[in-house]
Amino acid sequence: MSFRTTVFATACLAAAFTQAQPATAAEKVLRVGMATGDIGKIDPHLAAGTQDKVVVGWLFNGLVRVKPGEATPKFIEPDLAESWTSSPDGLSWTFHLRHGVQCHQGYGEFTAEDVVYSLQRAADPNRSAYSSDYKAIKAITAIDKYTVQIDYSEHVPSVLGFLINFQGGNMVCKAAAEKMGADFTKHPIGTGPFQFKEYAPQQELVLEANPAYYEGRPKIDRIEYRFIPATAARDLAFEKGEIDIDYGQTDKTWYSRITKLPHTKVVAVEPTELYTVHINESHPPLDNLKVRQAIAYAVPRDALVKYRGEEVTRAAKSVVPVGYLGETDATPLFPYDPAKAKALLKEAGYPNGIKLKVVQTSLGTMRDTMEVLQGQLRKVGIDLDLQIVEHATFHAQIRKDMSDLVLYAAARYPIADTYLSQFYDSAATVGTPGAVANFSHCNVADAEIRAARTETDPQKQLALWATAQKKIIENVCSVPVYELFNVWAISDRVKLGYELHGALSQGIPIIPATTIE
Amino acid sequence: MARYAILKLIYSVPTLLAVLTLVFVLTRVIPGDPALMILGDQASPQAIAALHVQLGLDRPVWMQYLHFLANVAHGDFGKSLVTGQSVVDLAASVLPSTLELTIASLVVGTVIGVPLGAWAAIHRNSMPDALVRAGSLLGLSLPAFVFGILLLIVFSVQLGWFPVISPTGRVSALENLRALALPALTLGILMAAYIARVTRSSMLQILGEDFIRTARAKGVPWRMVIRRHALRNAIIPVVTVVGLYLGVLIGNSVLTEMVFNRPGLGKLIVGALTQRDYPVLQGLMVLYTLLIIIANLLTDLAYGIFNPTVRLR
């Protein structure tokens, strides 16, 4: 084969995989670059990864919602339900639905039947990852086409909190979910401002404006959600204007580099992920309170925030992330005091220091956080033997109690109960039947955590949560380190149309008023 | 020739079976629970248990293995645990992109590598030779994510000739070629470095042969000697190398696919690995094995075309 034929053959080959592109002139297209190789499940009741939740936020509504741009339950407002009432004992709630809301792609009007179906689905462990949030629901009844009654068997920390447009609170359309079955995860139907258009594996997900959206047709016609796992490629694509919104890195270097680009705004939004070092009390010498206190005194929280970048990080204030309903800094965390840490170790009978075995994920931010901590703890005589493993292995091993310290980063639904129940209630201890993420074997605040869960008086509930935090901090079940924001770079061409402080979906909410020039 | 090809394919059955078993064992040995990866760390234990049942992960391992073999025999590689798509569809949807990239970089590698290697051999121990040798060393040692990013910064961001990320959906042939250029160059340079080295040493050997001296003594013009007699013969081992390298190339496309954000088998397999997506991992490993077997077979056949003396009976 001569060179000329070879080149020609290549050209033909390339042409064979392509077709002509139709001209689309005046369309307003928003291109979002996401740090993922592919989408996982865009079923709101199963979506677990950030890459999935971001999309779910554009596709679905809840009965109520957190005002776009906010991320705390303080801002709950009506969404698919226009109004609601509750019985005097607080166990029976009636929601009045908005009339005329349409499901995507002609699946009909959204009615009380869809609400019943959605909540039953969210409460079913076979179809939902968030079923435990809804186990107190006794019955869901469609009173009429636009009225739904939800009866609870016991009090829950926040009724409205679990009915917002987040995780299990997202409303799906019954007809579509039943028709599609397992395919629903790749072809989701909701009532949100955008609807599913097409999906190309490993490449992109395309959404289009929902023309019948109840708040009006969005100004953006189409969202192209590109999967770009390599940060360098994503940033270069953003720099060149091939994408309008770029998923950033919670990192000082990234932040300072991207903020220098022209026509760019970098936003650090809530919810944050709280990085906590859980101390496994079941492993000696960590059963000794003085040893645990020594660890707490050896963590230089402020220096770590500086290291990570003050624009994208804030110091932890409690064992519950800042801003969660019920979070309080009334009990201060242990200050940085290496001398005291050394003295405590000596008092505990370890004048020559201790050695701890730590299973650590190889995942970027978590790994380097732990490596910095390793250096800091070494200064006071605590030697960490880091066993770096791949992320899935890390998850498996820490759940088998194999690590003395567990660095865990997590964002949860922003009320104190979720964090306390999952990480500090002894019922959630790893290795037990109810295991969730209690890696420390903490059990000092069980009574308060459980009482607060069913407490109806908001003031008493707050007091219980405060006591729980106090006990956990004083017992040093864990050492909270810092909180990392979600960081996004947004081109100045994008006009959000609302004030952005945060978003539970961890993405950038695209509302009907959002537009691109 | 056809009989030879069929025989070769039959010989590959035990290889495939061994690979299947190895792949199955390996995916089960690495720790990590796919259900936890799919549902996330907030999932309730009931939800995780329910997913185990759905995915068939609650059954004993030997039963999973037999099921796996039986399904593979039917050409069914199962469905992705994460997305629920059929593994065959998933692989088929990205295979063209990977083949496109592989073939394009093979072309780039050959077009650059063979002439450079020959040039270096002809000017042995002089400036061109030193240049080619140094260049090929550089090409072999520069990882794709460094070279690729350098190309992107210069040609995409600074000069704006090529897109940073490959366009999606329906695009014109020209646009597709533009998007293919840099990835093919990144991978092609690596290939070229390799080919140049092999061509050079093969060419050196041929140039020392008696028939070359005879041809020159007969007064055949030097250019003709090189083209007709030397290069023709020197190319034979290169074909083998290129063929064997094709498998490696398919594997090496992972980094290039990541940097240029092209869909492809490499990206798919990395994703499947991090998600503990057993069926996808298994299916892709089998596909890789098949591709390498086919590449080797094609090399054998091509060898016969280039070298009539070893043409098979």
Side-chain angles (χ1 to χ4, degrees):
Chain A
M1 225 192 299
S2 79
F3 296 157
R4 217 172 298 160
T5 3
T6 327
V7 171
F8 179 71
T10 322
C12 290
L13 188 83
F17 292 117
T18 58
Q19 284 161 25
Q21 186 182 32
T24 43
E27 248 193 344
K28 281 191 190 305
V29 182
L30 182 74
R31 299 155 306 168
V32 181
M34 185 64 194
T36 183
D38 208 334
I39 204 89
K41 289 185 187 288
I42 8 177
D43 180 328
H45 300 157
L46 292 172
T50 309
Q51 75 276 17
D52 301 345
K53 288 188 191 169
V54 168
V55 179
V56 164
W58 295 328
L59 291 173
F60 294 92
N61 298 100
L63 284 180
V64 290
R65 71 176 181 191
V66 170
K67 189 177 153 200
E70 302 294 344
T72 76
K74 271 178 277 180
F75 296 95
I76 285 182
E77 59 180 30
D79 197 3
L80 292 176
E82 279 180 317
S83 62
W84 52 89
T85 53
S86 67
S87 63
D89 64 0
L91 287 173
S92 178
W93 289 65
T94 309
F95 291 86
H96 302 281
L97 301 186
R98 200 177 289 278
H99 292 224
V101 174
Q102 294 298 322
C103 289
H104 296 156
Q105 298 171 358
Y107 276 95
E109 191 181 358
F110 182 88
T111 66
E113 284 301 324
D114 296 297
V115 179
V116 173
Y117 178 81
S118 294
L119 284 174
Q120 281 171 348
R121 192 174 185 267
D124 175 3
N126 285 314
R127 291 180 290 172
S128 157
Y130 306 103
S131 56
S132 48
D133 293 343
Y134 302 93
K135 61 183 177 218
I137 293 183
K138 196 166 66 183
I140 314 156
T141 333
I143 307 281
D144 61 45
K145 200 176 169 189
Y146 301 109
T147 315
V148 184
Q149 186 182 322
I150 307 175
D151 294 301
Y152 290 85
S153 55
E154 57 173 352
H155 287 284
V156 292
S158 168
V159 166
L160 291 181
F162 290 106
L163 296 174
I164 58 164
N165 52 336
F166 182 61
Q167 295 178 345
N170 282 302
M171 292 290 144
V172 300
C173 291
K174 181 184 177 182
E178 282 188 338
K179 187 179 158 203
M180 283 185 253
D183 290 338
F184 192 74
T185 57
K186 275 289 175 284
H187 195 145
I189 298 286
T191 52
F194 290 88
Q195 57 188 6
F196 174 84
K197 177 124 191 289
E198 59 191 336
Y199 160 69
Q202 292 187 55
Q203 297 187 61
E204 65 172 349
L205 179 77
V206 182
L207 307 178
E208 61 180 3
N210 171 7
Y213 189 52
Y214 81 80
E215 285 187 313
R217 186 190 194 282
K219 287 183 181 160
I220 301 266
D221 296 300
R222 200 149 55 101
I223 299 178
E224 291 179 4
Y225 190 62
R226 302 285 312 254
F227 315 142
I228 315 177
T231 308
R234 212 168 54 242
D235 291 347
L236 287 175
F238 180 76
E239 190 178 340
K240 210 191 148 205
E242 288 179 26
I243 52 174
D244 311 301
I245 296 181
D246 175 16
Y247 184 75
Q249 280 192 311
T250 310
D251 173 85
K252 195 155 76 181
T253 340
W254 182 88
Y255 185 89
S256 56
R257 191 178 74 235
I258 298 295
T259 38
K260 284 195 195 102
L261 294 179
H263 317 298
T264 300
K265 189 168 68 188
V266 180
V267 289
V269 293
E270 295 189 317
T272 56
E273 274 200 329
L274 172 59
Y275 280 59
T276 305
V277 178
H278 297 270
I279 305 178
N280 193 333
E281 289 175 32
S282 72
H283 288 190
L286 299 175
D287 51 345
N288 187 328
L289 177 64
K290 287 195 171 129
V291 175
R292 297 203 299 276
Q293 286 172 337
I295 297 176
Y297 277 120
V299 175
R301 211 163 274 112
D302 294 327
L304 283 161
V305 168
K306 279 219 178 72
Y307 153 76
R308 179 65 60 199
E310 281 155 306
E311 299 87 353
V312 293
T313 322
R314 68 179 169 211
K317 291 254 164 51
S318 174
V319 290
V320 172
V322 174
Y324 279 34
L325 184 65
E327 177 267 334
T328 169
D329 54 6
T331 310
L333 297 173
F334 287 71
Y336 179 54
D337 191 341
K340 203 156 185 178
K342 273 187 201 160
L344 279 164
L345 274 183
K346 204 170 168 184
E347 269 178 57
Y350 301 98
N352 301 322
I354 53 169
K355 196 173 170 129
L356 299 174
K357 185 191 145 191
V358 177
V359 177
Q360 183 56 38
T361 169
S362 58
L363 217 64
T365 316
M366 288 181 79
R367 178 177 174 166
D368 55 47
T369 299
M370 201 58 182
E371 283 170 347
V372 173
L373 280 174
Q374 183 186 32
Q376 295 300 324
L377 292 178
R378 191 177 290 139
K379 287 183 188 166
V380 302
I382 301 167
D383 201 10
L384 302 189
D385 172 17
L386 294 191
Q387 317 207 331
I388 310 280
V389 295
E390 189 273 327
H391 195 60
T393 313
F394 164 76
H395 269 291
Q397 296 194 341
I398 57 174
R399 281 173 175 72
K400 286 184 194 140
D401 238 345
M402 286 168 69
S403 189
D404 293 338
L405 302 180
V406 174
L407 175 69
Y408 207 82
R412 292 291 178 259
Y413 178 70
I415 57 173
D417 176 67
T418 53
Y419 231 86
L420 295 173
S421 293
Q422 293 183 20
F423 292 102
Y424 301 104
D425 184 331
S426 65
T429 306
V430 292
T432 65
V436 189
N438 182 346
F439 304 107
S440 59
H441 296 245
C442 190
N443 58 9
V444 289
D446 285 2
E448 287 80 9
I449 297 172
R450 290 170 196 178
R453 218 174 282 157
T454 54
E455 178 56 60
T456 46
D457 179 344
Q459 288 312 313
K460 281 186 190 157
Q461 194 180 38
L462 288 177
L464 285 166
W465 280 332
T467 315
Q469 289 168 67
K470 181 170 190 282
K471 286 186 168 177
I472 295 165
I473 292 170
E474 284 173 353
N475 189 55
V476 205
C477 292
S478 69
V479 182
V481 183
Y482 52 31
E483 297 182 16
L484 267 53
F485 287 89
N486 278 297
V487 203
W488 293 85
I490 306 178
S491 156
D492 283 346
R493 296 170 58 229
V494 180
K495 307 288 174 212
L496 291 178
Y498 63 89
E499 197 144 335
L500 177 64
H501 301 117
L504 286 174
S505 73
Q506 298 180 23
I508 305 291
I510 309 299
I511 62 168
T514 306
T515 186
I516 183 162
E517 288 163 355
Chain B
M1 193 106 114
R3 244 192 79 207
Y4 174 75
I6 290 166
L7 216 63
K8 260 271 176 187
L9 278 179
I10 292 174
Y11 284 153
S12 60
V13 170
T15 318
L16 258 183
L17 195 67
V19 167
L20 284 174
T21 312
L22 194 68
V23 163
F24 182 86
V25 172
L26 279 181
T27 46
R28 294 315 191 274
V29 166
I30 44 174
D33 179 358
L36 187 69
M37 292 290 116
I38 293 168
L39 294 179
D41 52 5
Q42 297 190 64
S44 61
Q46 304 97 291
I48 296 212
L51 190 62
H52 275 157
V53 175
Q54 273 178 38
L55 300 176
L57 295 172
D58 57 328
R59 293 175 306 181
V61 176
W62 61 268
M63 213 146 121
Q64 292 181 40
Y65 176 65
L66 289 184
H67 257 271
F68 167 61
L69 283 190
N71 286 337
V72 169
H74 290 108
D76 175 10
F77 286 91
K79 285 180 175 172
S80 159
L81 297 185
V82 180
T83 65
Q85 277 184 298
S86 126
V87 174
V88 176
D89 288 353
L90 216 53
S93 69
V94 296
L95 186 61
S97 313
T98 296
L99 287 183
E100 187 185 42
L101 175 62
T102 313
I103 294 170
S105 47
L106 199 62
V107 171
V108 171
T110 315
V111 167
I112 299 177
V114 170
L116 277 184
W119 189 47
I122 296 164
H123 301 277
R124 190 183 182 181
N125 292 335
S126 63
M127 198 55 169
D129 190 20
L131 276 180
V132 170
R133 270 157 57 186
S136 83
L137 195 66
L138 193 70
L140 280 177
S141 40
L142 255 189
F145 55 85
V146 173
F147 191 57
I149 300 260
L150 287 178
L151 286 181
L152 275 179
I153 291 176
V154 176
F155 293 104
S156 294
V157 178
Q158 303 291 339
L159 297 173
W161 292 353
F162 301 102
V164 176
I165 46 177
S166 305
T168 54
R170 286 182 220 97
V171 291
S172 68
L174 188 71
E175 246 179 288
N176 198 46
L177 262 185
R178 268 182 61 194
L180 185 61
L182 291 185
L185 194 60
T186 307
L187 214 51
I189 290 285
L190 184 81
M191 192 82 196
Y194 204 65
I195 292 178
R197 287 182 97 80
V198 179
T199 311
R200 179 181 171 274
S201 59
S202 162
M203 190 78 173
L204 279 178
Q205 203 194 336
I206 300 288
L207 286 178
E209 296 279 342
D210 290 346
F211 67 86
I212 298 288
R213 202 178 42 202
T214 312
R216 293 205 68 185
K218 269 165 58 186
V220 180
W222 180 228
R223 294 186 63 170
M224 195 76 98
V225 173
I226 296 290
R227 224 194 286 164
R228 272 266 178 85
H229 302 280
L231 199 55
R232 273 265 170 107
N233 283 300
I235 215 86
I236 295 166
V238 177
V239 170
T240 324
V241 167
V242 168
L244 289 177
Y245 208 67
L246 200 61
V248 183
L249 200 59
I250 294 172
N252 273 351
S253 54
V254 178
L255 286 176
T256 316
E257 282 169 3
M258 291 297 245
V259 170
F260 293 95
N261 207 50
R262 288 177 57 84
L265 289 180
K267 239 174 110 185
L268 196 60
I269 205 163
V270 170
L273 187 63
T274 46
Q275 300 259 33
R276 292 292 179 274
D277 197 339
Y278 297 153
V280 176
L281 263 182
Q282 287 163 178
L284 289 182
M285 301 272 219
V286 173
L287 184 62
Y288 270 110
T289 317
L290 274 177
L291 283 177
I292 291 174
I293 289 174
I294 292 173
N296 284 350
L297 184 66
L298 288 180
T299 315
D300 280 357
L301 298 181
Y303 207 77
I305 296 172
F306 281 93
N307 188 358
T309 58
V310 298
R311 193 157 289 163
L312 294 136
R313 282 147 289 150

